[in-house]
Amino acid sequence: MADGNIVMTHLVAGYPNLEESRLAALAMVAGGASYLEVQFPFSDPIADGPLIQGACTDALNEGFSTDKGFEFLASLTAETDVPVFLMTYGNLLMAPGVENFVERAAESGVAGLIIPDLPYDYDEGLYEAGKKAGIPVVPVVIPGIDEERLNAVLGMTPPFIYTAVRKGITGARTTIGEDTVAFLDKLSRSGAKVLAGFGIREKEQVDLLAPHVHGTVVGSALVEIIGRCAEEKRACSGEVKAFVESLI
Amino acid sequence: MAVYNDFFGPYGGRYVAELLRGPLDELEAAFKEAMDDDGFLKELNRFGKEYIGRPTPLLYAEKASKAVGGADIYIKLEGLANTGAHKINNAAGQALLAKRMGKSRIIAETGAGQHGVATAAVCARLGLECRVYMGSEDIKRQRPNVFLMEMFGAEVFPVESGSKTLKDAVNEALRDWASSSADTHYLIGSALGPSPYPDMVREFQSVIGKEVKAEQEKRKLQVRAMVACVGGGSNAIGFFEPFIHSGTPRLIGAEAGGTGPEEGCHAARMTGEGRTGVIQGYKSRFLFDGDGQVLHTHSISAGLDYPGIGPQLAHLGDTGRIEFTSVRDDEALEALRFFASNEGIIFALESAHAGAAGLKIAEQYKPGEAVIINMSGRGDKDIFITAKALQRDKWFDFLNEETKNG
């Protein structure tokens, strides 16, 4: 693990193309990312904002497929020791069958699965399949979650919990209030490693969250950099690495 | 209230990220409470009579029936409801519910625009702020409805993501709601989405079927079949609702067959390659590829090209209670022309799919037996599509003149 802040960086597999996204992932690792969150693009990513939806659409237009995604993950997990988490939406699991998808994820070496639209009570067998394949499923919670639901989630003793630090979609900047901090402390006391994200794009925010969580997730800010580089047709590794370094 | 489902067989549910869970729980509680409150039901009923113009007529289509030479064809004229389509029934129900919940802002998504128009109109009437999400492709196809929504004071927000049609407008509305639910109600326009929407929309639309049933009993009609078009399916489920639990009559849903059975050319989820999936918060039959990515769809009607179908309809299709058929663009246009020239009625393009299917079904029966077609809306809004398709040269001449004079 890093000496400074623990940061999970996010990227959309295949955006702007598979090779560029591989180089971006390695640049994140070089910059000091402690975890990678790789999103498999979906045509209708309702929990994401316009920026990530645009990246998903571009990646799909570029020919991304689930097969290519798993090949991408396998090569990435072979190239780096940094744990790689796979994030996507339920229908990508439903299409080939949840168990089948989870097995393939396990074979590609991922450290965990984040599927926001398959919550524990509508999970289509995801948690069971994860247990069987030996991959933790990372529940996603939010501040203000109903107490009973939070207890049900914590009762499953997940090794990791992913939490948004505000309501809404990805992308916009987040201000972190006292209530949020109290919620993060409560989650951390459960023993799960808490990963907190949504609108985190500056070191100041990461520093503020660091004492209260295991790690901070930075997504849209990086997708933005990668997109800008693609548009200007220039390599993005240097900028991505420098940005991640600046957070740690 | 009568029924609360969450799941319909294997379909339905609430497959949403945690941030939408709270607003849905709040809505479910408020909906159940309202449906148990005579005061709310009376208010809804009065709104229906005074503002919507209910009950809508059930027309005996005598000339059409004779031309077909089969069953007596009846048409439920939902197009005579205020704003021109059945969508107003649900918009009114949900807007009154939202007001009761203390919400001051309504967001909605729209494809063909009828739901947007109905929502905007009801918001104007009830003094609620309104934003309607609409794919930029649909805005191009349905300019007259955009104009009406703006007249009612709604903000029409163009959606540029994905295929720029209804499903993308749904995504945007869900995103808005995720951060605005404290003061905002998301008024979904069809009997789909996460629970409690499929139950709620069906209940508000069931007024259509209840009126049909009352007329059936009054006129002692031997109804053999009822036919409705199915995009998401709100007119169909409302029209069928009082008949679902009995074995008769036959219930038939007409999907968009588009230009043909090739991928991307239609929106046939039940008669085509639809498969079970989880998209936009609910489990149902959708059109998606082997990886789970939603496929592009096509229909001449902007209201029927949605890649999913309401979960209750999907289940009733599986169990055989509802039969599904698909109707191509050209067949719908032909039915539109047939009913215009034989009955003096212009069907909306969506409803013309039901009209086309109804004509075929009517051939299977004899006079004295009844087939009822739901005209879910009238075709005023489609004039830029239908006139181009049916009278291309004259229409273009007219538009050119208008542009010159403008």
Side-chain angles (χ1 to χ4, degrees), chain B residues 2 53 64 76 78 84 163 165 171 190 229 240-241 316 351:
Chain B
K76 176 66 170 165
E78 281 298 288
S163 56
T165 60
N171 291 341
S190 201
C229 66
F240 295 155
E241 204 281 329
L316 292 167
S351 317

Side-chain angles (χ1 to χ4, degrees), chain B residues 85-143:
Chain B
H86 75 291
K87 293 287 187 186
I88 191 88
N89 304 323
N90 168 56
Q94 286 198 46
L96 287 169
L97 179 64
K99 203 153 182 179
R100 183 184 159 98
M101 291 168 76
K103 309 285 179 185
S104 58
R105 178 175 178 261
I106 298 285
I107 53 171
E109 82 299 319
T110 196
Q114 282 309 115
H115 171 57
V117 169
T119 303
V122 168
C123 286
R125 170 107 190 123
L126 295 177
L128 295 160
E129 189 190 334
C130 180
R131 173 185 269 199
V132 180
Y133 289 94
M134 190 168 183
S136 57
E137 277 300 316
D138 289 337
I139 287 179
K140 278 188 212 156
R141 294 195 284 184
Q142 299 289 351
R143 172 56 57 184

Side-chain angles (χ1 to χ4, degrees), chain A residues 69-104:
Chain A
F70 281 126
E71 278 169 32
F72 174 81
L73 286 176
S75 75
L76 202 57
T77 52
E79 253 178 298
T80 170
D81 292 334
V82 165
V84 178
F85 287 71
L86 168 58
M87 180 261 164
T88 194
Y89 288 84
N91 210 48
L92 265 73
L93 285 72
M94 296 285 288
V98 171
E99 208 165 306
N100 176 306
F101 186 97
V102 173
E103 277 166 20
R104 293 186 69 190

Side-chain angles (χ1 to χ4, degrees), chain A residues 41-46 48 53 60 65-66 91-92 94-95 116-119 121-122 124 140 142 145 149 168-169, chain B residues 6-7 13-19 21 161-162 167 171 174-175 178-179 277-279 283 288 290-294:
Chain A
F42 176 45
S43 52
D44 296 80
I46 57 174
D48 287 298
Q53 163 139 24
L60 289 168
S65 66
T66 299
N91 210 48
L92 265 73
M94 296 285 288
D117 60 345
L118 294 183
D121 48 349
Y122 290 92
E124 291 294 308
V140 182
I142 52 159
I145 182 175
R149 293 185 61 75
I169 51 167
Chain B
D6 191 30
F7 275 98
R14 202 173 284 187
Y15 296 84
V16 293
E18 204 58 44
L19 74 175
R21 182 61 184 235
S161 57
K167 80 175 176 69
N171 291 341
L174 283 167
R175 286 177 185 140
S179 48
V278 168
I279 294 166
K283 193 202 254 194
F288 55 83
D291 279 353
Q293 308 291 351
V294 176

Side-chain angles (χ1 to χ4, degrees), chain B residues 118-402:
Chain B
T119 303
V122 168
C123 286
R125 170 107 190 123
L126 295 177
L128 295 160
E129 189 190 334
C130 180
R131 173 185 269 199
V132 180
Y133 289 94
M134 190 168 183
S136 57
E137 277 300 316
D138 289 337
I139 287 179
K140 278 188 212 156
R141 294 195 284 184
Q142 299 289 351
R143 172 56 57 184
N145 273 343
V146 175
F147 170 71
L148 293 179
M149 285 182 256
E150 289 173 348
M151 283 273 287
F152 290 130
E155 178 197 1
V156 180
F157 193 95
V159 176
E160 302 290 348
S161 57
S163 56
K164 301 172 187 173
T165 60
L166 177 59
K167 80 175 176 69
D168 309 289
V170 174
N171 291 341
E172 282 305 318
L174 283 167
R175 286 177 185 140
D176 182 323
W177 201 38
S179 48
S180 67
S181 61
D183 69 348
T184 298
H185 172 66
Y186 175 19
L187 207 161
I188 290 187
S190 201
L192 43 73
S195 65
Y197 282 102
D199 279 317
M200 187 165 62
V201 177
R202 182 201 58 243
E203 288 303 301
F204 290 142
Q205 290 294 4
S206 66
V207 64
I208 310 172
K210 285 173 188 158
E211 289 174 4
V212 168
K213 202 169 170 76
E215 283 297 309
Q216 179 200 356
E217 283 161 11
K218 202 166 104 190
R219 304 191 206 180
K220 300 191 172 26
L221 300 179
Q222 303 298 311
V223 182
R224 298 293 179 241
M226 295 173 63
V227 191
C229 66
V230 181
S234 69
N235 89 87
I237 200 72
F239 180 55
F240 295 155
E241 204 281 329
F243 304 91
I244 287 169
H245 302 290
S246 56
T248 56
R250 284 171 69 192
L251 305 176
I252 294 145
E255 299 188 291
T259 52
E262 300 77 24
E263 188 179 296
C265 295
H266 62 88
R269 294 92 6 129
M270 300 302 286
T271 51
E273 305 294 315
R275 295 193 291 155
T276 302
V278 168
I279 294 166
Q280 294 184 328
Y282 67 107
K283 193 202 254 194
S284 189
R285 300 241 324 225
F286 297 89
L287 291 167
F288 55 83
D289 69 14
D291 279 353
Q293 308 291 351
V294 176
L295 291 170
H296 285 281
T297 54
H298 163 80
S299 169
I300 191 169
S301 154
L304 291 190
D305 63 359
Y306 180 72
I309 181 169
Q312 189 170 10
L313 288 169
H315 175 54
L316 292 167
D318 282 2
T319 62
R321 180 65 191 98
I322 296 179
E323 302 163 45
F324 282 92
T325 183
S326 67
V327 172
R328 289 192 316 271
D329 291 349
D330 56 341
E331 295 171 311
L333 278 169
E334 187 46 45
L336 178 79
R337 194 169 10 204
F338 176 84
F339 284 107
S341 58
N342 279 291
E343 295 293 344
I345 291 170
I346 308 281
F347 275 61
L349 275 172
E350 295 86 335
S351 317
H353 287 69
L359 290 174
K360 281 188 198 163
I361 300 292
E363 287 173 8
Q364 300 168 14
Y365 297 97
K366 52 184 191 299
E369 297 178 305
V371 168
I372 306 178
I373 298 165
N374 193 30
M375 183 181 88
S376 57
R378 62 173 187 257
D380 317 20
K381 71 183 167 62
D382 297 318
I383 194 163
F384 284 80
I385 302 167
T386 48
K388 193 165 85 176
L390 298 173
Q391 280 199 346
R392 192 179 177 86
D393 292 346
K394 284 181 190 169
W395 183 246
F396 280 176
D397 286 347
F398 165 72
L399 291 179
N400 280 332
E401 278 303 309
E402 282 295 296

